[in-house]
Amino acid sequence: MAKTLFDKIWEQHVVDSIPDGPDVLYIDRHFIHEVTSPQAFAGLNSRGINVFRPERVFATADHNVPTIDQHLPIQEKLSRLQVEKLTENCKAHGIQLFHLTHKHHGIVHIIGPELGITQPGQTIVCGDSHTATHGAFGTMAFGIGTSEVEMVLASQCLMQYKPKKMRITVDGKLGQGVVSKDVILYIISTLGAGGGTGYFVEYAGSTFRNMSMEARMTVCNMSIEMGARGGLIAPDEKTFEYLKGRLYAPQGADYDRQVPNWKELFTDPDAVFDKELEIRAEDIPPMITYGTNPGMGIPVDQPIPSRAGEEKALEYMGLKKGEMLLDKTVNYVFIGSCTNARIEDFRAVAGLVKGKQKAENIRAYLIPGSKLVEKQIDDEGLRLVLEEAGFEIRQPGCSACLGMNDDKVPKGEYCVSTSNRNFEGRQGPESRTILASPLTAAATAINGKITDIRNLV
Amino acid sequence: MEKFKTITSTAVPLPAENIDTDQIIPARFLKATDRERFGDNLFRDWRYDEKDQPKGDFVLNDDKYQGSILIAGKNFGSGSSREHAAWALVDYGFRVVVSSFFADIFTNNALNNGLLPVQVSGEFLSMILEKTISNPQEQVLVNLDDQEIKLLSSGASAHFEINSYKKQCLQNGYDNLDYLVNILDKVTRYEELTQKP
């Protein structure tokens, strides 16, 4: 029978099946961080259980860490305690931790791929809903809660019901100034914030094939924003090339043996999906959001639509139906997060702002996704370009994406952000988030108001 | 985990749609390393103003509405995977959330904490919201054994779905961890068989 890529990976990982119940799935890679793991370790400790396969678990402190002075002890007490707890738990259980001063430290979904820990065909989980990022490598990757983190630590397995399958096909060439972030914002605005709930998505078509691995990660990252458990893209030569020589990827002869297995990871031509969506790349414009969930997105040059039930969101955002966002003054720009904090994002931003100055009203934060990305920014001479343009480069972490540390957007202020969520208060109490691509964010920083990148390139 | 028993309670109506887990518990309250007292910050920014004073127009601050059943608009629990959202609801005293649609990860987190998500039709949801808003004394019965939710005053009822395995877990207070740690030899055999790298 013809199978989807998702079916193939699922079937390869079934350890046990409970009659009329879930499958027990083996988990190849488990990422943990400081915020959603302490209660899981406490649970294990209270039951006297050890971590079953510590070599399959990788840890980083990213959500709750400062993005300045990372070499110093963390000032804020609760954050410090949480990071200390993670360090203590990793040490006690023999888990690899990329601590704050480690040369490979960074946001969990940036470092996994960057270090080659993420590999095609794997099952990957993390107590974080953006785990779908790793789907860009043809993996089945999804977010879990802390009780499930505890289960995976205890058994390297998870009980799961098989979700329905959706294929989203985008074919054709993207227009000028349109990038992967616009593609996923367009998809989410088409399906709505709950349109993917109950599904696992496969992204297919020439538009994704033509994307770099980093661009694919941006797409898969936001699968959860339409409610989907995860999203994946079949691996190809770009995937194999990306992994070659990375620290935790198979090396030499091992790599050569793996590639033929990875090449088997595709959806059979006759495989059937529960739902299909087809989109033409040329229909996708630069996108921005106007509301308080990522499904509330529009083309940057269009007015806010008149839809019933959105009044509360618009009131929160201080916006009106029919209003244009284009040319609206904003004072904050945030370029970072597991969605858009990879080197290609910063190259694109630097290319756009080179020789220009940010507008006076703008405060522009730029947060690399990892120490390695930060190093690339330095090695490629981008730091100078970005700082001369007036951008503030900080150290790696989740930062103002969720405002757990000091990087917050003040009450009532708009922030054009490359992150993934525009929920009420997401970037700080009563902050107002407008999601966009790194190009749109950079152009907005230069002009001091929301800008259509197509008028700038 | 506590066994789930039949519940009869008044309900707290919260008709907003797409209530994400950032609203249920904002990120800045996720800094604890235990599971205690998250209920204090349940719906924090809807419930309290910036001076930490209760906002009069929010339903949790309205003494008329009490009970262990929360009734919310569609797509409840979207967004972040934070289980703290389920902990906050349970710690506050909720045992059931009724909506017409739940986010996947929230559903798992709720069930893993003995909090029952009851999914009903949009029509039934509108009706039950209207009844409980207009009559705060309205008694709602949630019977897991029969998979039924009922308004006691009118007898209006709806069936809800739950997987038989999850149902048994809730009825008996089992959790998945109990099962998983008992099949570790099977897991080891799987690893050997597949020669997991």
Side-chain angles (χ1 to χ4, degrees):
Chain A
M1 204 184 108
K3 289 175 185 168
T4 68
L5 170 56
F6 179 78
D7 292 327
K8 292 179 186 178
I9 301 175
W10 182 284
E11 285 168 16
Q12 284 169 9
H13 289 84
V14 176
V15 173
D16 195 11
S17 291
I18 297 169
D20 290 327
D23 284 340
V24 178
L25 293 182
Y26 191 79
I27 302 302
D28 294 313
R29 296 287 182 268
H30 184 194
F31 293 105
I32 59 171
H33 63 81
E34 77 280 24
V35 175
T36 59
S37 69
Q39 294 87 349
F41 282 106
L44 287 187
N45 294 341
S46 72
R47 295 188 195 216
I49 298 173
N50 276 325
V51 174
F52 183 58
R53 294 290 181 249
E55 68 278 13
R56 293 184 179 275
V57 188
F58 296 87
T60 184
D62 54 1
H63 279 64
N64 195 1
V65 299
T67 53
I68 48 167
D69 294 334
Q70 288 185 346
H71 61 293
L72 298 176
I74 299 173
Q75 295 291 313
E76 213 255 335
K77 188 181 160 210
L78 290 176
S79 303
R80 188 175 66 244
L81 287 177
Q82 223 172 30
V83 174
E84 282 172 0
K85 203 70 182 162
L86 180 71
T87 309
E88 192 182 298
N89 286 328
C90 288
K91 200 171 170 195
H93 293 279
I95 292 167
Q96 171 69 55
L97 166 67
F98 302 106
H99 56 79
L100 213 45
T101 53
H102 194 288
K103 64 178 176 179
H104 296 141
H105 172 259
I107 302 175
V108 59
H109 308 309
I110 306 267
I111 65 173
E114 173 177 86
L115 297 174
I117 300 169
T118 303
Q119 295 161 27
Q122 290 174 336
T123 46
I124 299 178
V125 297
C126 174
D128 186 283
S129 60
H130 294 110
T131 307
T133 312
H134 308 265
F137 292 78
T139 70
M140 192 174 99
F142 52 93
I144 56 176
T146 297
S147 294
E148 292 172 312
V149 170
E150 187 178 342
M151 291 171 208
V152 181
L153 289 173
S155 67
Q156 205 57 39
C157 288
L158 203 53
M159 288 162 136
Q160 289 289 304
Y161 296 91
K162 201 170 181 182
K164 289 183 284 186
K165 292 161 290 184
M166 184 188 325
R167 178 161 57 190
I168 298 173
T169 307
V170 185
D171 275 312
K173 194 169 176 292
L174 293 171
Q176 199 183 25
V178 179
V179 293
S180 60
K181 180 64 164 285
D182 300 304
V183 175
I184 189 62
L185 284 174
Y186 183 86
I187 292 170
I188 299 165
S189 74
T190 305
L191 283 168
T197 302
Y199 291 92
F200 212 98
V201 173
E202 178 172 348
Y203 301 99
S206 62
T207 308
F208 300 115
R209 291 265 79 83
N210 291 332
M211 283 183 189
S212 69
M213 289 311 297
E214 297 198 355
R216 292 179 193 178
M217 285 187 244
T218 300
V219 172
C220 292
N221 171 276
M222 290 190 71
S223 302
I224 183 71
E225 307 312 337
M226 50 188 165
R229 233 19 235 290
L232 47 64
I233 296 174
D236 58 13
E237 289 301 329
K238 272 186 197 160
T239 320
F240 313 146
E241 196 51 44
Y242 177 96
L243 285 169
K244 208 172 194 172
R246 295 201 181 247
L247 188 61
Y248 287 85
Q251 308 288 327
D254 283 344
Y255 174 88
D256 294 337
R257 267 195 300 276
Q258 272 303 326
V259 172
N261 298 333
W262 292 343
K263 286 184 175 169
E264 298 297 316
L265 296 166
F266 57 85
T267 289
D268 296 332
D270 298 329
V272 178
F273 288 81
D274 300 289
K275 188 171 176 174
E276 297 254 17
L277 177 69
E278 285 174 21
I279 290 167
R280 292 187 311 176
E282 70 240 43
D283 292 342
I284 304 174
M287 297 286 292
I288 48 167
T289 63
Y290 61 90
T292 54
N293 73 58
M296 298 169 78
I298 47 171
V300 66
D301 60 349
Q302 293 298 307
I304 293 169
S306 290
R307 289 189 192 128
E310 294 189 345
E311 293 78 8
K312 183 172 174 286
L314 289 176
E315 190 192 332
Y316 180 85
M317 292 297 291
L319 298 170
K320 291 190 174 61
K321 292 176 181 179
E323 188 179 341
M324 294 294 291
L325 280 171
L326 199 62
D327 291 334
K328 188 172 183 67
T329 300
V330 299
N331 295 326
Y332 287 81
V333 165
F334 171 68
I335 300 175
S337 87
C338 57
T339 314
N340 280 118
R342 299 180 182 81
I343 189 62
E344 286 178 9
D345 298 315
F346 297 114
R347 283 185 196 135
V349 170
L352 195 88
V353 306
K354 189 171 184 169
K356 299 190 178 82
Q357 268 297 314
K358 71 165 181 70
E360 268 189 22
N361 60 308
I362 287 280
R363 178 132 194 221
Y365 292 106
L366 217 138
I367 314 286
S370 71
K371 290 275 198 298
L372 285 177
V373 173
E374 191 181 26
K375 186 174 181 302
Q376 280 173 294
I377 288 175
D378 287 330
D379 292 350
E380 296 180 16
L382 305 181
R383 181 180 292 273
L384 195 65
V385 172
L386 293 162
E387 286 182 345
E388 278 183 354
F391 287 67
E392 185 181 343
I393 305 178
R394 294 192 162 205
Q395 291 174 295
C398 298
S399 181
C401 173
L402 81 169
M404 275 194 83
N405 68 358
D406 289 339
D407 306 347
K408 289 184 175 69
V409 175
K411 177 181 174 176
E413 290 284 356
Y414 294 99
C415 178
V416 172
S417 176
T418 68
S419 55
N420 39 56
R421 291 197 169 127
N422 51 354
F423 296 153
E424 284 183 31
R426 176 78 179 178
Q427 298 192 286
E430 297 186 55
S431 60
R432 293 162 165 170
T433 303
I434 294 169
L435 301 176
S437 78
L439 287 179
T440 299
T444 299
I446 296 301
N447 286 345
K449 51 192 184 178
I450 294 173
T451 299
D452 187 339
I453 179 70
R454 291 169 297 191
N455 299 334
L456 216 79
V457 290
Chain B
M1 204 167 72
E2 248 178 76
K3 290 181 186 177
F4 189 97
K5 301 197 179 75
T6 295
I7 284 174
T8 306
S9 168
T10 51
V12 178
L14 180 56
E17 295 182 355
N18 298 311
I19 296 177
D20 58 74
T21 54
D22 274 78
Q23 306 320 311
I24 299 172
I25 181 111
R28 63 186 191 280
F29 299 110
L30 307 185
K31 297 188 180 192
T33 54
D34 57 29
R35 299 185 182 212
E36 311 300 315
R37 299 185 65 86
F38 281 102
D40 293 351
N41 295 311
L42 176 68
F43 295 116
R44 178 79 200 193
D45 292 338
W46 289 356
R47 198 168 142 201
Y48 297 101
D49 66 18
E50 58 197 304
K51 294 186 181 112
D52 293 330
Q53 295 306 303
K55 293 183 182 176
D57 57 353
F58 187 61
V59 67
L60 292 192
N61 296 326
D62 187 339
D63 289 342
K64 284 203 299 290
Y65 298 105
Q66 306 273 347
S68 57
I69 300 172
L70 177 69
I71 307 178
K74 76 171 178 199
N75 197 23
F76 185 84
S78 58
S80 158
S81 64
R82 61 188 69 163
E83 193 164 315
H84 312 66
W87 299 338
L89 288 161
V90 171
D91 185 50
Y92 186 84
F94 290 116
R95 291 292 169 269
V96 174
V97 185
V98 183
S99 181
S100 58
F101 196 70
F102 289 94
D104 287 336
I105 306 179
F106 176 80
T107 301
N108 287 346
N109 288 341
L111 290 168
N112 283 330
N113 287 280
L115 175 69
L116 179 66
V118 170
Q119 187 165 326
V120 296
S121 69
E123 278 174 354
F124 190 83
L125 181 69
S126 301
M127 185 276 290
I128 195 173
L129 274 171
E130 194 187 307
K131 295 285 186 197
T132 50
I133 289 169
S134 62
N135 177 16
Q137 300 308 315
E138 179 78 56
Q139 294 284 322
V140 181
L141 177 130
V142 175
N143 182 330
L144 175 62
D145 299 333
D146 298 341
Q147 297 175 225
E148 187 189 51
I149 177 169
K150 188 153 104 181
L151 286 180
L152 289 189
S153 63
S154 65
S157 69
H159 179 80
F160 62 87
E161 291 298 323
I162 180 169
N163 177 279
S164 61
Y165 171 78
K166 282 288 181 196
K167 181 173 168 179
Q168 278 179 28
C169 287
L170 282 176
Q171 287 169 323
N172 297 302
Y174 298 153
D175 65 26
N176 292 345
L177 195 64
D178 298 331
Y179 185 92
L180 289 169
V181 293
N182 282 308
I183 61 158
L184 292 183
D185 51 338
K186 237 178 196 172
V187 181
T188 305
R189 274 204 302 282
Y190 168 85
E191 288 176 323
E192 287 163 2
L193 205 69
T194 53
Q195 297 188 316
K196 280 279 162 193

